[in-house]
Amino acid sequence: MKKEIDIMRLLKRLFDLDNLIADKEADKKIGFKIDEEVGLLSLKRERANLLKEIPKEYADTYERVKKRYTLALAEVKNGFCFGCFQQLPTEMLVRSNEIVTCPNCGRILFWREE
Ligand SMILES: [Zn+2]
């Protein structure tokens, strides 16, 4: 069983990867070179491998939120969810080593490592 902090790290990698893929797909619309096509394919392969490392329940949550909002993760800053800009309950703010979702929008919350 993986620790939540490790799973969170994997989810963040998945999130970064999805942002890269989204960038490349946006480039595709404005003219795409063949080496970029190859790059996109390898990113997608990396994504598929990464997904296999993430326990299914978390991967499912991620995919569900992503389908709804495009960005599945939201940063917590000054006690606010930066996905929906709602203030989070104070008891959630001490749980930065656990995987928690925003009670308002459902995005997976992350705290930037300092
Ligand atoms: Zn939120």
Side-chain angles (χ1 to χ4, degrees):
M1 182 64 196
K2 281 194 170 80
K3 279 203 212 112
E4 290 209 350
I5 192 160
D6 295 327
I7 298 167
M8 198 57 218
R9 224 163 259 148
L10 294 172
L11 287 171
K12 265 174 155 166
R13 247 167 72 198
L14 186 63
F15 181 65
D16 289 340
L17 210 53
D18 276 340
N19 288 336
L20 275 175
I21 291 171
D23 276 356
K24 288 225 180 253
E25 277 179 339
D27 287 348
K28 202 171 179 173
K29 293 200 182 99
I30 50 166
F32 210 50
K33 292 184 210 85
I34 195 79
D35 54 327
E36 287 167 336
E37 185 78 56
V38 173
L40 186 58
L41 277 176
S42 77
L43 283 176
K44 286 189 170 167
R45 201 171 310 126
E46 198 181 328
R47 185 186 200 278
N49 287 333
L50 191 56
L51 262 185
K52 280 183 226 152
E53 287 183 56
I54 300 172
K56 196 180 180 305
E57 52 174 313
Y58 295 110
D60 285 352
T61 302
Y62 182 92
E63 298 284 36
R64 198 175 56 240
V65 183
K66 184 175 181 269
K67 208 176 262 177
R68 189 159 167 205
Y69 295 115
T70 313
L71 299 178
L73 263 60
E75 190 178 351
V76 177
K77 262 191 204 160
N78 303 323
F80 281 83
C81 164
F82 266 56
C84 63
F85 299 99
Q86 295 293 310
Q87 193 158 17
L88 297 162
T90 30
E91 68 267 23
M92 287 186 69
L93 302 176
V94 294
R95 298 165 68 190
S96 58
N97 284 339
E98 291 172 40
I99 296 172
V100 282
T101 54
C102 172
N104 188 58
C105 68
R107 288 180 178 90
I108 301 165
L109 298 170
F110 74 95
W111 282 255
R112 205 165 283 283
E113 285 169 49
E114 268 136 48

